[in-house]
């Protein structure tokens, strides 16, 4: 294994065709990607190369047995051209946790970090400076090894692609509390960022959208009585002045935004509780006025305030507050991410 990175530069950059003032989320891609193959039991030399399609054998196991995992992270650039990442080694550790569960080989942290930094240096012009925009980074690993035998593949690919991106959600978010479907089960892969988890979310989410909602609030697969996640985000619920989030488990992704927000909230005098929270408690709080805020937390949207929720054919609106925790926390965390404030936690990692 090597942390030497080979570099093959693109002949002509596409950057002039990109409107950096109107960036979509995750659908415009930077010039280069990092690619590294796992063959014969070994990771090969990682290569930074032009972003381009990949060729796979039709019998590659990714297509049949879904050995595929990913991460989501962001790079930011400040006014002095510093490039920053946010807790990047946590993403690498989580990728390797997902890898273990899906029997995909571990990617050494030094390869992940060296490859990522080199890619960001080569494509540094692609990192947006505009407030609210960033370079969304998508590391992923999947089975390229062949065979219809239902067993782990013998070859894999690790890729990092990047996409200069704007906001994940446009407008307000209305959610539906799920009573039938589940995204994860005990003993399953809900804690992993496995591609299949997201495929399983699409159908129930589509049904919710047909009813006029934007996202599903996932409840536990067994009783559907307890709130677990908000779409592809962790969930926070503010009752009076206490911010509550469910404990992580087999079924819940251990979000980096979630744990950062818990720390920042505590350090800024907000009371937090990590505990199971029932749908009944939330409905009751909505009825008696103690439900102040609900929001999703994740890398892509950072914090996504929820304007209202549906449950059992009833709709409940969240109040409009003067200075909601969601806005306060979003500013506190993005100021750290974008180098606008001190970082007492050591979360920021400079690329150069
Ligand atoms: N929950 C799920 C299911 C997710 O896919 C994500 C996104 O990564 C999160 C929560 C939030 O995690 P993080 O804050 O690490 O992005
Ligand atoms: C997040 O970063 O918050 C995500 O959930 C990633 C998403 C685009 C799948």
């Amino acid at each position: 294994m090597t942390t030497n990175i080979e570099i093959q530069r693109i002949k002509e950059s596409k950057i002039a065709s990109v409107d950096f003032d109107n960036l979509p989320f995750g659908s415009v891609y930077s010039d280069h990607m990092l690619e590294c193959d796992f063959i014969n039991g070994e990771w090969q030399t990682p290569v930074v190369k032009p972003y381009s399609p990949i060729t796979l054998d039709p019998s590659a196991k990714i297509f049949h047995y879904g050995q595929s995992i990913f991460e989501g992270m962001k790079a930011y650039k400040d006014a002095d051209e510093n490039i920053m990442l946010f807790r990047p080694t946590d993403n690498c550790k989580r990728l390797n946790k997902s890898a273990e569960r899906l029997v995909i080989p571990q990617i050494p942290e030094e390869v992940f970090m060296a490859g990522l930094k080199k890619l960001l240096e080569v494509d540094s012009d692609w990192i947006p400076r505009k407030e609210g925009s960033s370079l969304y980074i998508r590391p992923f690993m999947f089975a390229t090894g062949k065979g219809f035998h239902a067993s782990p593949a013998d070859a894999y690919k690790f890729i990092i692609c990047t996409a200069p991106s704007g906001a994940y959600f446009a407008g307000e978010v209305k959610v539906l509390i799920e009573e039938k479907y589940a995204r994860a089960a005990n003993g399953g892969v809900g804690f992993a960022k496995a591609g299949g988890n997201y495929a399983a979310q699409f159908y129930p989410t589509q049904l919710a959208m047909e009813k006029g909602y934007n996202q599903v609030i996932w409840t536990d697969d067994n009783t559907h009585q307890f709130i677990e996640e908000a779409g592809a985000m962790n969930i926070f619920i503010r009752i009076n002045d206490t911010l509550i989030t469910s404990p992580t488990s087999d079924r819940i992704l251990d979000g980096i935004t979630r744990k950062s927000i818990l720390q920042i909230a505590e350090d800024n005098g907000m009371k937090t509780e990590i505990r199971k929270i029932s749908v009944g408690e939330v409905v009751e709080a909505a009825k008696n006025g103690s439900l102040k805020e609900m929001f999703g937390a994740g890398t892509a949207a950072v914090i996504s305030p929820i304007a209202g929720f549906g449950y059992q054919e009833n709709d409940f609106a969240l109040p409009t507050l003067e200075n909601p925790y969601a806005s306060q926390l979003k500013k506190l965390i993005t100021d750290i991410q974008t180098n606008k404030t001190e970082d007492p936690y050591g979360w920021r990692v400079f690329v150069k």
Side-chain angles (χ1 to χ4, degrees), residues 23-30 32 70-76 85 91 94 116 119-120 126-128 133-140 160-166 168 193 198 232 298-302:
L23 288 169
F25 180 88
S27 55
V28 169
Y29 309 103
S30 316
H32 297 86
F70 69 95
E71 272 301 321
M73 48 205 301
K74 283 177 171 173
Y76 312 85
L85 291 161
N91 291 95
R94 191 171 63 190
L116 175 57
L119 179 65
L120 294 177
W126 287 83
I127 306 171
S133 296
S134 58
L135 188 76
Y136 184 75
I137 302 167
R138 173 53 61 87
F140 58 110
I160 306 180
C161 295
T162 68
S165 293
Y168 191 76
K193 267 183 97 72
Y198 300 80
T299 298
V302 191

Side-chain angles (χ1 to χ4, degrees), residues 48-207:
V48 170
K49 59 190 273 196
Y51 179 92
S52 54
I54 46 183
T55 303
L56 293 179
D57 197 284
S59 63
K61 291 198 181 188
I62 168 64
F63 299 127
H64 308 277
Y65 304 121
Q67 273 184 293
S68 175
I69 55 175
F70 69 95
E71 272 301 321
M73 48 205 301
K74 283 177 171 173
Y76 312 85
K77 195 188 265 179
D78 69 10
D80 298 324
E81 300 284 303
N82 293 305
I83 297 170
M84 290 83 61
L85 291 161
F86 186 68
R87 311 185 78 171
T89 53
D90 289 22
N91 291 95
C92 182
K93 289 188 172 71
R94 191 171 63 190
L95 186 67
N96 279 329
K97 255 178 92 178
S98 302
E100 182 184 25
R101 182 63 179 81
L102 278 284
V103 198
I104 292 173
Q106 300 284 298
I107 185 88
E109 193 168 291
E110 52 290 5
V111 176
F112 181 98
M113 287 306 299
L116 175 57
K117 286 183 174 178
K118 187 60 77 182
L119 179 65
L120 294 177
E121 280 172 29
V122 170
D123 274 343
S124 63
D125 289 346
W126 287 83
I127 306 171
R129 275 183 213 83
K130 197 180 165 198
E131 195 170 326
S133 296
S134 58
L135 188 76
Y136 184 75
I137 302 167
R138 173 53 61 87
F140 58 110
M141 283 206 265
F142 57 93
T144 53
K146 299 183 268 184
F148 295 145
H149 193 279
S151 53
D154 63 358
Y156 297 84
K157 213 182 253 302
F158 171 60
I159 294 181
I160 306 180
C161 295
T162 68
S165 293
Y168 191 76
F169 288 111
E172 47 173 49
V173 177
K174 258 182 75 189
V175 297
L176 179 66
I177 298 184
E178 183 59 59
E179 292 175 73
K180 177 176 176 189
Y181 298 98
R183 72 171 285 280
N186 281 329
V189 298
F191 70 88
K193 267 183 97 72
N197 286 340
Y198 300 80
Q201 293 187 197
F202 294 159
Y203 181 66
T205 305
Q206 187 176 304
L207 296 180

Side-chain angles (χ1 to χ4, degrees), residues 146-345:
K146 299 183 268 184
F148 295 145
H149 193 279
S151 53
D154 63 358
Y156 297 84
K157 213 182 253 302
F158 171 60
I159 294 181
I160 306 180
C161 295
T162 68
S165 293
Y168 191 76
F169 288 111
E172 47 173 49
V173 177
K174 258 182 75 189
V175 297
L176 179 66
I177 298 184
E178 183 59 59
E179 292 175 73
K180 177 176 176 189
Y181 298 98
R183 72 171 285 280
N186 281 329
V189 298
F191 70 88
K193 267 183 97 72
N197 286 340
Y198 300 80
Q201 293 187 197
F202 294 159
Y203 181 66
T205 305
Q206 187 176 304
L207 296 180
M209 284 176 166
E210 283 166 11
K211 291 185 181 165
Y213 301 95
N214 308 91
Q215 271 300 340
V216 166
I217 296 294
W218 301 106
T219 48
D220 69 287
D221 61 302
N222 190 21
T223 67
H224 295 288
Q225 294 292 308
F226 293 94
I227 304 244
E228 303 218 313
E229 295 214 60
M233 288 180 284
N234 294 112
I235 188 161
F236 283 85
I237 297 170
R238 174 180 168 192
I239 296 183
N240 291 318
D241 284 339
T242 303
L243 209 44
I244 306 161
T245 189
S246 25
T248 52
S249 71
D250 269 8
R251 303 182 303 271
I252 297 183
L253 197 85
D254 185 4
I256 294 162
T257 317
R258 173 187 174 278
K259 66 182 180 187
S260 307
I261 282 174
L262 281 169
Q263 176 85 54
I264 292 172
E266 278 289 321
D267 294 349
N268 284 274
M270 297 174 192
K271 189 160 174 268
T272 64
E273 283 178 9
I274 302 172
R275 64 165 171 88
K276 287 170 100 175
I277 178 158
S278 72
V279 181
E281 182 180 350
V282 174
V283 168
E284 187 49 38
K287 285 182 179 160
N288 69 25
S290 59
L291 180 67
K292 303 295 183 203
E293 295 180 59
M294 288 169 71
F295 56 84
T299 298
V302 191
I303 285 182
S304 175
I306 292 168
F309 69 91
Y311 182 61
Q312 290 184 340
E313 310 299 323
N314 291 311
D315 274 332
F316 299 87
L318 275 286
T320 308
L321 304 181
E322 194 63 40
N323 188 19
Y325 282 5
S327 314
Q328 294 181 44
L329 290 164
K330 184 166 183 177
K331 178 160 171 34
L332 287 164
I333 191 170
T334 51
D335 279 357
I336 294 177
Q337 289 167 331
T338 56
N339 202 21
K340 290 204 181 93
T341 182
E342 288 302 305
D343 171 18
Y345 311 108

